[in-house]
Amino acid sequence: MYVCNCFGVTEDQVKRHAEGGACTPRQIASACKAGTDCGSCVRRIQALLGRGSYPRPALVTSGPDRMAGVAPDEAAAA
C-alpha cells in the first residue's frame, strides 16, 4: 500500500527505512523523499513509526548530564 503517492513510497519502504534507523518523519523524508511534496502522508508516516518497534538512537545532551561518569574536578576543568 502506498504511503506517499507523490513519490510512490510504500509502507514496506517506510518500515525498512525505520528499521535502518530513520525514526522521525524528517529522517524518512531524507531517506526516500516521502512527505516532502504535498505533505499529506506525514501523518501516516508518523502513525507507522509510532506502531513499530524501531530502535530510537540515544540523544546527545548538551547540559551537565553529558559529563556523567566524569570526576567533578575533571568536569570543572572541561
Side-chain angles (χ1 to χ4, degrees):
M1 174 181 211
Y2 284 104
V3 173
C4 176
N5 290 321
C6 297
F7 292 104
V9 179
T10 65
E11 276 187 24
D12 289 337
Q13 288 173 302
V14 170
K15 290 176 184 178
R16 278 196 305 267
H17 288 301
E19 289 166 356
C23 58
T24 66
R26 184 170 289 192
Q27 291 171 338
I28 295 293
S30 293
C32 63
K33 294 188 179 181
T36 61
D37 194 23
C38 75
S40 66
C41 60
V42 173
R43 287 186 185 257
R44 179 75 178 134
I45 293 168
Q46 289 172 329
L48 286 170
L49 294 174
R51 273 189 250 149
S53 56
Y54 306 110
R56 304 285 193 242
L59 296 177
V60 176
T61 60
S62 59
D65 292 341
R66 72 182 174 88
M67 296 301 241
V70 176
D73 56 320
E74 291 177 34

